[in-house]
Amino acid sequence: YGDHRDLHLSIRRQRQMCIRDRVDAIVSVRAQKAKIYDDGFSNIPEIQLPPRQPNTKNVFLLYMVFAQNRDGLLDYCLKKGIEAKIHYPIPLYQQPALAHLEYKKGDFPVTDRHANECISFPVDQHISDVEQDYVIETVRSFYRDNNYD
């Protein structure tokens, strides 16, 4: 029994070390992928990039931007096979758990803007350059080819 437990602990330790060793590489690739999106989206007037803080390291768990007609863009991307998402559609102050605070819609306009305009795109370390180019071109074509207002 003792030998098996030692073996399981050893395997678990090896897995943790393996993952830990790969984290910096994964974060680095995600940052490179985010830079590709930043460059590709920066010339689309309807897309606003969030500020990037100098001297900070973003792991890009999510790649989020502000988009005009976000819901239309989301539908368009989904129809084109892009796994775009809206992660936080209801502001925290409007969640039922905080209803007792009696905040009204509009009490936090910046939060409301984020809830209405933020959209995320796939940014994991496995997305290929071709797939990213497709995402960028799809977003560009949505604004170029559609009367979205």
Side-chain angles (χ1 to χ4, degrees), residues 31 37 50 61 72 84 88-89 95 101 112 124 130 149:
Y37 277 142
L61 177 64
Y88 309 106
Q95 296 288 338
L101 298 175
D112 291 337
D124 70 72
V130 170
D149 287 327

Side-chain angles (χ1 to χ4, degrees), residues 3-65:
D3 293 339
H4 292 294
R5 192 172 74 183
D6 290 343
L7 177 63
H8 288 292
L9 287 174
S10 176
I11 291 170
R12 187 176 341 160
R13 227 181 327 241
Q14 287 296 319
R15 284 183 184 158
Q16 289 172 343
M17 286 172 46
C18 185
I19 290 169
R20 204 174 321 130
D21 292 343
R22 293 179 30 220
V23 167
D24 286 338
I26 291 169
V27 168
S28 177
V29 171
R30 283 175 173 254
Q32 292 168 12
K33 299 296 183 181
K35 174 82 168 87
I36 291 169
Y37 277 142
D38 282 356
D39 292 345
F41 291 143
S42 65
N43 62 0
I44 302 173
E46 298 86 356
I47 296 290
Q48 182 183 1
L49 304 176
R52 305 285 185 227
Q53 301 301 319
N55 302 318
T56 62
K57 187 175 191 175
N58 189 329
V59 298
F60 290 100
L61 177 64
L62 302 173
Y63 180 86
M64 299 176 86
V65 296

